[in-house]
Amino acid sequence: MLDFNTIEQLDKIATPFYYYDMDLFYKTVDHVAELAAQRNLKVHYAVKANAEKRLLEYISSKGFGADCVSGNEVLHAHECGFRPEKIVYAGVGKSDKEIYNALMLGIEAFNCESLQEIFVINEMAHHYGVKASISVRINPDIDAHTHKYVTTGLYENKFGISQHEFDKLIEIIRKSEHIDFFGLHFHIGSQITRVSEVFALECSRVNDIVRYFEDKGLTVRNINLGGGLGVDYDDPDGNPIADFDTWFDTIAGNIVHREDQAVHVEPGRSMVAQCGTLISRVVFVKSGETKNFLIMDAGMNDLIRPALYGAYHKIENLSARMRTFFPTHQAYDIVGPVCESSDVWGAGRLLPLSVRGDLMAIRSAGAYGQVMASRYNMKDIAPAVFSDSLEEATAAVDYFA
Ligand code: LLP
């Protein structure tokens, strides 16, 4: 919860912007590092959730690796301090240029998602006289019980290689002289809330698959279980840090591995969602025929999750919190300025009486927020503002200027 002093400072900055609570961020990262070390798990942060340089530099400084899904993410992670041997690179459609750059950097592993990709990487490694380290992403056909757009481990999804190709895959790995087989990769979905049930099931499928590959003579050195731990969008103040204990305990209790086999996870959202808030301002209040609209200056171009997935983000009126009188509450449809009917932050939200210029907080926006922003309607990109350097965010408010 933001204190009065912080709200006063935020009120001086031009909106919209992403505000990062660095205390919570450091606390979360340190907590994950400690728990992972206790259970001997390797953690690679999924850069796609938030690629802010300051955040990546801290995460890399704590010894985490990086999970990337594009050539630019690989290069950016490297620039932010991740050593090449701690970078893995997944994605179903890696271009030749992306493969070339990652090969030259000498990353820990390409997580290959099709037989043809392995063939191409082997050819390119041959051509450039290097050896490519590869893992294979497997589609384990598991229902992660989450939103259909963020489910990735079912046969109907485009990700990974399915069981019917296992034997062909093993054959190709054996024959490819320019690749070095590192291990198996899985990632079944995101915002998973049935943590013990879903991850125990994942581990049991993974155990069977690892055994299958090893029985056929391949040594699986690395078992990468992907990310997916959910966060509490309803109550970010009640649960500011996701339940890493349950996630890691479920893995430690269910995965079968030898001493020489590393177990690896790739959290993205759970490491950064709660430390980020999209700060916006009410531009107009409008009473429609059947409802009241609060029109904000932040829209789906800044944070697309509600429009794209119908995702819920808690919304608070920060200015109303500063007022001394007891506010009446009213139901609002909170909307953005973009010319799309789906540019809605929340329908029928009960808020204290709100007026033009009020500062609003869209919570739990640290993951898949800034990174998915666009310039649709030629809007400006909302910048990042960090809690420990608020005075540097000098851009003045243009409201009533
Ligand atoms: N590893 C791989 C291979 C992934 O594809 C992902 C996320 C992760 C790890 C990290 O998953 P996380 O711990 O963040 O759940 N834009 C969507 C989420 C898409 C997730 C894509 N893959 C959203 O806003 O909900």
Side-chain angles (χ1 to χ4, degrees):
M1 169 104 72
L2 292 170
D3 59 41
F4 285 4
N5 180 37
T6 312
I7 296 175
E8 268 173 5
Q9 285 183 280
L10 295 180
D11 211 10
K12 297 189 185 114
I13 304 169
T15 49
F17 58 90
Y18 276 92
Y19 169 74
Y20 292 102
D21 174 345
M22 295 306 280
D23 286 341
L24 178 58
F25 170 70
Y26 294 139
K27 231 164 104 182
T28 308
V29 175
D30 295 355
H31 179 66
V32 179
E34 195 187 320
L35 291 187
Q38 285 163 5
R39 291 160 180 88
N40 204 14
L41 289 172
K42 270 175 40 174
V43 183
H44 278 43
Y45 166 68
V47 172
K48 69 178 79 62
N50 190 313
E52 260 303 315
K53 196 163 192 284
R54 267 204 68 185
L55 307 190
L56 293 197
E57 281 173 348
Y58 186 70
I59 294 173
S60 63
S61 77
K62 298 294 286 189
F64 290 82
D67 155 48
C68 301
V69 287
S70 75
N72 286 345
E73 279 191 4
V74 170
L75 300 178
H76 182 63
H78 185 229
E79 272 165 30
C80 293
F82 292 95
R83 294 202 313 273
E85 63 274 21
K86 288 206 160 197
I87 298 176
V88 296
Y89 175 17
V92 292
K94 303 174 184 79
S95 71
D96 290 3
K97 182 179 164 199
E98 291 178 308
I99 294 172
Y100 171 80
N101 286 335
L103 262 183
M104 292 303 116
L105 200 59
I107 59 169
E108 180 176 35
F110 288 87
N111 292 335
C112 298
E113 308 220 16
S114 62
L115 302 185
Q116 194 163 33
E117 182 186 334
I118 299 174
F119 182 79
V120 168
I121 292 179
N122 184 59
E123 290 283 287
M124 285 180 69
H126 182 199
H127 184 80
Y128 293 106
V130 291
K131 198 125 192 167
S133 167
I134 70 147
S135 282
V136 175
R137 179 165 178 181
I138 302 293
N139 184 326
D141 199 30
I142 290 177
D143 188 352
H145 295 289
T146 181
H147 194 286
K148 71 174 166 73
Y149 286 178
V150 293
T151 289
T152 50
L154 287 173
Y155 281 160
E156 67 198 56
N157 304 126
K158 67 180 174 181
F159 300 99
I161 296 175
S162 316
Q163 196 170 352
H164 77 279
E165 289 195 308
F166 283 1
D167 290 340
K168 225 191 286 172
L169 168 66
I170 291 167
E171 175 85 16
I172 289 175
I173 293 172
R174 280 219 201 89
K175 282 193 180 146
S176 304
E177 289 173 21
H178 308 283
I179 63 169
D180 184 20
F181 179 68
F182 184 52
L184 297 177
H185 173 222
F186 304 81
H187 170 74
I188 57 173
S190 199
Q191 185 52 18
I192 294 169
T193 49
R194 286 155 71 165
V195 179
S196 348
E197 174 197 339
V198 169
F199 287 103
L201 184 66
E202 184 190 16
C203 288
S204 108
R205 286 284 288 142
V206 169
N207 292 339
D208 291 345
I209 296 169
V210 169
R211 197 172 326 113
Y212 188 87
F213 277 75
E214 294 227 312
D215 284 351
K216 299 268 174 176
L218 286 184
T219 306
V220 177
R221 286 181 280 146
N222 193 74
I223 304 170
N224 178 348
L225 297 168
L229 177 65
V231 304
D232 192 342
Y233 283 97
D234 296 319
D235 187 11
D237 292 317
N239 290 304
I241 299 185
D243 193 357
F244 287 93
D245 281 275
T246 302
W247 188 32
F248 288 174
D249 281 345
T250 304
I251 291 171
N254 288 281
I255 199 82
V256 176
H257 71 109
R258 294 188 308 267
E259 279 282 292
D260 62 344
Q261 274 172 326
V263 180
H264 166 153
V265 288
E266 299 174 330
R269 182 192 318 267
S270 49
M271 285 181 62
V272 290
Q274 301 294 29
C275 72
T277 301
L278 177 57
I279 304 285
S280 176
R281 216 174 270 283
V282 174
V283 268
F284 299 117
V285 184
K286 174 160 90 172
S287 76
E289 194 63 37
T290 55
K291 35 176 75 166
N292 294 304
F293 293 104
L294 270 193
I295 305 166
M296 313 244 273
D297 60 7
M300 63 191 281
N301 59 300
D302 299 301
L303 174 66
I304 202 174
R305 303 191 69 258
L308 192 57
Y309 314 117
Y312 174 88
H313 284 262
K314 189 171 178 185
I315 298 176
E316 293 162 347
N317 184 326
L318 300 177
S319 302
R321 206 187 289 159
M322 309 283 280
R323 296 200 257 270
T324 46
F325 55 88
F326 186 74
T328 26
H329 280 67
Q330 191 164 323
Y332 294 100
D333 272 20
I334 309 173
V335 301
V338 173
C339 296
E340 293 276 348
S341 293
S342 60
D343 187 22
V344 175
W345 291 111
R349 297 279 184 102
L350 204 61
L351 282 180
L353 206 64
S354 303
V355 296
R356 170 171 161 81
D358 277 357
L359 203 63
M360 308 289 286
I362 301 167
R363 303 291 307 276
S364 316
Y368 306 110
Q370 225 188 315
V371 279
M372 293 177 82
S374 80
R375 295 214 49 205
Y376 185 40
N377 283 192
M378 289 190 77
K379 289 282 189 184
D380 291 328
I381 292 283
V385 169
F386 301 96
S387 59
D388 55 2
S389 42
L390 277 180
E391 52 300 330
E392 285 166 30
T394 47
V397 250
D398 52 9
Y399 169 67
F400 278 172

